[in-house]
Amino acid sequence: MSKKIIAIVPAAGVGQRAQRDPADQPKQYRLLQGKPMLRWAVEALLADSRVDQVRVAVSAADPHAHVALHGLDRTVCRPCGGPSRAHTVLAALEDADLSHGDWVLVHDAARPGLPKAALSRLIDVCLAEGQGALLAQPVPDTVKRAGAQPAPDSCVLTGAAPAVQPAVAVVAQTVSRDGLWLAQTPQMFQADLLLRALRAALQSNKEITDEASAVELLGVAPRLVAGSVRNFKVTWPEDFELMEKWL
């Protein structure tokens, strides 16, 4: 019996960094070429017929999702969003009640530019090798680590994401980019492995920023599969204009 491939799109957040005004609607519902960004992201997943279903996880009070996703085939919207990405993905996994050996693709609602070829590459690698993987790209630029002391009236990048893009920071160190990759989504793992990894990470209060980081805590090394520059994450307000050009 063939195993299913289920996609999960966590969409319970508001995307604070992408908002110019606190009254703006959550970024996943901002229009790109006349369609909500979330719809673009879901349609990108549906482009590969091997994806049996896309499950969009939203907050219980979300008033926008059903309208944004109306009419999409193989797509369901589930009000199981949690306080963080990890909680939302875990709740969506538990809600899906998948069988042993089924696969899960987790994709950002803010990556509407996912090319079909990149998605297909990821699925091909996972199915052929029986191992989890994620789309990623080698770091092309020189990497600088910011120091603790900012220039006057400026914002410095720290571990916590700032509400606005920092304008000025102080270089503390140049970091070698050898072997560094920028993680993208989708990230694809067998459902039971990802379920176990997320539960363990949350129970132990480990800091995880994506699904791969949770799996890595179990001692598993996911594969890195070449992504695409088009698959960048819409993060800052100016990213919307750039993404519209790609779409």
Side-chain angles (χ1 to χ4, degrees):
M1 181 178 178
S2 62
K3 300 301 183 180
K4 292 183 294 187
I5 299 176
I6 301 297
I8 289 175
V9 181
V14 299
Q16 182 182 14
R17 288 175 293 176
Q19 292 179 317
R20 294 189 185 277
D21 188 304
D24 288 346
Q25 64 180 338
K27 72 175 180 180
Q28 60 266 35
Y29 301 117
R30 289 272 299 273
L31 298 183
L32 294 169
Q33 299 289 355
K35 285 195 298 189
M37 180 161 63
L38 175 61
R39 190 179 182 93
W40 282 104
V42 171
E43 288 177 339
L45 293 167
L46 294 172
D48 193 305
S49 61
R50 291 174 292 180
V51 176
D52 293 282
Q53 187 183 60
V54 179
R55 302 178 70 87
V56 181
V58 300
S59 65
D62 188 304
H64 307 291
H66 287 288
V67 174
L69 301 172
H70 178 72
L72 287 179
D73 188 31
R74 297 151 41 214
T75 302
V76 296
C77 183
R78 302 296 295 162
C80 58
S84 71
R85 176 195 177 92
H87 285 93
T88 296
V89 174
L90 176 58
L93 268 172
E94 292 172 338
D95 181 71
D97 192 24
L98 300 176
S99 299
H100 177 76
D102 286 344
W103 288 90
V104 175
L105 282 161
V106 183
H107 187 49
D108 293 330
R111 293 187 190 271
L114 170 66
K116 180 182 178 181
L119 172 61
S120 297
R121 263 196 312 274
L122 177 67
I123 295 175
D124 289 345
V125 168
C126 289
L127 296 184
E129 299 189 10
Q131 299 289 336
L134 62 148
L135 292 183
Q137 286 205 291
V139 172
D141 300 316
T142 298
V143 179
K144 304 290 185 181
R145 187 185 304 281
Q149 296 299 320
D153 301 318
S154 66
C155 176
V156 176
L157 268 175
T158 62
V164 296
Q165 190 170 10
V168 180
V170 175
V171 172
Q173 180 186 8
T174 297
V175 180
S176 172
R177 64 174 179 255
D178 290 347
L180 294 183
W181 289 60
L182 297 172
Q184 298 183 343
T185 66
Q187 302 190 359
M188 183 170 172
F189 299 97
Q190 289 188 314
D192 50 353
L193 172 64
L194 183 56
L195 193 64
R196 182 160 50 95
L198 288 171
R199 284 174 175 167
L202 290 172
Q203 287 170 3
S204 59
N205 293 315
K206 296 290 187 181
E207 183 179 358
I208 53 174
T209 54
D210 63 357
E211 292 66 48
S213 61
V215 170
E216 290 159 32
L217 291 173
L218 296 181
V220 177
R223 305 294 194 264
L224 292 166
V225 178
S228 168
V229 66
R230 290 183 55 182
N231 192 31
F232 72 88
K233 186 176 182 180
V234 175
T235 304
W236 308 108
E238 59 266 29
D239 290 343
F240 287 94
E241 182 179 353
L242 179 59
M243 180 56 75
E244 280 204 307
K245 294 178 180 177
W246 279 113
L247 296 174

